[in-house]
């Protein structure tokens, strides 16, 4: 039963980690949580089947048996340590998120100081545009961000844009 509990736990955990590559949807999060729950319950309940508990007396030697008070203190101490570590992780994550937002605000301020249109795109999708770009396309940043770059231009301009993107400029010195 002990070996079976380890196998069940490992198999369910591996499936959970394999399915956890994209956790953007609620359904996928619930599925991964279910696999992890199966891993934990499988380990616990199958492993507990291997144990038989019978009342009896144990020989008490110095330091061999942890009494109920000592066990309570140990479990409570570990629980408090886990809670403190979790709280610290949340504080650090929140600080990093706020710092990232401040950096994004500075980047937007700097980009808006430029008179030129500034696009930042990844794989042809606009992820940022400055105020000059909003004025040029007569659209808000929310309407521009997330669109393909080529969709912002007329169809007859697209071939020239594609050629310019694929071919590096020639140095004519």
């Amino acid at each position: 039963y002990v070996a079976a509990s380890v196998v069940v736990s490992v198999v369910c955990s591996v499936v959970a980690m394999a399915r956890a590559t994209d956790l953007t949807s609620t359904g996928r999060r619930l599925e991964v949580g279910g696999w992890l729950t199966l891993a934990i319950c499988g380990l616990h309940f199958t492993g507990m089947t291997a144990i038989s508990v019978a009342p009896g007396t144990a020989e008490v030697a110095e330091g061999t048996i942890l009494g109920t008070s000592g066990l309570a203190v140990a479990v409570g101490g570990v629980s408090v340590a886990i809670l403190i570590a979790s709280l610290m992780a949340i504080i650090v994550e929140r600080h990093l998120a706020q710092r990232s937002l401040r950096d994004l605000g500075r980047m937007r301020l700097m980009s808006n100081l430029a008179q030129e249109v500034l696009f930042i795109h990844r794989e042809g999708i606009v992820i940022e545009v400055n105020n000059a770009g909003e004025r040029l396309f007569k659209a808000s940043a929310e309407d521009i961000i997330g669109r393909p770059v080529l969709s912002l231009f007329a169809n007859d301009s697209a071939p020239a844009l594609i050629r310019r993107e694929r071919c590096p400029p020639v140095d004519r010195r």
Side-chain angles (χ1 to χ4, degrees):
Y1 285 113
V2 173
S5 71
V6 171
V7 169
V8 167
S9 176
V10 168
V11 168
C12 290
S13 297
V14 167
V15 170
M17 292 302 120
R19 300 291 293 162
T21 56
D22 179 27
L23 295 175
T24 55
S25 69
T26 304
R28 179 62 67 94
R29 288 184 198 152
L30 290 173
E31 177 191 352
V32 170
W35 282 109
L36 289 174
T37 302
L38 283 174
I40 292 167
C41 290
L43 177 70
H44 175 75
F45 292 117
T46 310
M48 290 302 291
T49 304
I51 296 175
S52 60
V53 179
T57 59
E59 291 184 29
V60 179
E62 188 65 33
T64 59
I65 295 180
L66 185 63
T68 56
S69 298
L71 184 60
V73 169
V75 169
V78 169
S79 299
V80 168
I82 290 171
L83 288 173
I84 290 172
S86 299
L87 180 63
M88 295 305 294
I90 290 170
I91 290 170
V92 167
E93 190 274 332
R94 189 171 177 191
H95 170 73
L96 292 175
Q98 289 173 347
R99 181 175 161 191
S100 183
L101 285 174
R102 284 192 308 269
D103 291 346
L104 180 61
R106 285 189 209 109
M107 185 188 81
R108 284 186 175 152
L109 176 65
M110 293 300 290
S111 72
N112 287 331
L113 294 175
Q115 296 297 321
E116 299 84 21
V117 174
L118 175 66
F119 279 130
I120 299 175
H121 69 91
R122 182 172 293 129
E123 298 174 2
I125 304 296
V126 177
I127 58 172
E128 191 63 53
V129 63
N130 67 356
N131 288 346
E134 290 178 347
R135 287 190 302 273
L136 175 70
F137 294 110
K138 296 178 178 71
S140 68
E142 291 81 24
D143 293 335
I144 298 171
I145 293 173
R147 291 178 57 185
V149 172
L150 293 178
S151 72
L152 299 171
F153 299 95
N155 288 336
D156 56 344
S157 300
L161 289 169
I162 292 170
R163 278 194 308 274
R164 185 177 299 151
E165 183 178 299
R166 288 189 181 154
C167 301
V170 176
D171 189 13
R172 300 181 191 231
R173 287 190 248 172

